[in-house]
Amino acid sequence: IEQHKQWEGTAADLKKALEAHPEDMSVLSDKTWPKRPNYLSGRIRRIAPALRKAGIEVANVKSQGKKVWKFKLQAPGEEGVDS
């Protein structure tokens, strides 16, 4: 997200994108790292309020028949993620 300011995709896409950068994610080797995309999606849903507080807007929306996550880095007070 930091490099792009925005990211959008399915939970499977997000899991793959995060796992593509293991140097940034020491947690990948942890046994608590979600093995399946739907587990990752559930965790994101639970931490969404904390992400928003940190300036990362999170939305789970339907796009082209699929549920996708939208993430957007923004300064406090800026407009939220489009739904």
Side-chain angles (χ1 to χ4, degrees):
I1 290 178
E2 246 177 36
Q3 298 146 338
H4 305 289
K5 301 293 183 201
Q6 280 194 163
W7 186 90
E8 181 178 330
T10 65
D13 295 336
L14 177 59
K15 188 172 184 314
K16 187 185 293 183
L18 291 171
E19 291 172 346
H21 299 282
E23 67 280 359
D24 298 334
M25 299 284 297
S26 60
V27 71
L28 290 177
S29 60
D30 192 290
K31 66 180 181 177
T32 62
W33 178 253
K35 303 291 186 255
R36 297 175 53 191
N38 60 326
Y39 294 163
L40 178 60
S41 187
R43 290 203 181 159
I44 293 168
R45 200 172 292 111
R46 286 189 291 279
I47 67 165
L51 291 172
R52 289 183 187 105
K53 194 172 185 177
I56 301 172
E57 283 298 315
V58 180
N60 190 251
V61 297
K62 208 165 196 178
S63 175
Q64 298 176 7
K66 296 181 186 176
K67 280 198 169 188
V68 297
W69 283 102
K70 284 184 157 186
F71 296 91
K72 183 178 179 183
L73 282 177
Q74 61 186 32
E78 284 186 8
E79 196 172 309
V81 172
D82 300 327
S83 329

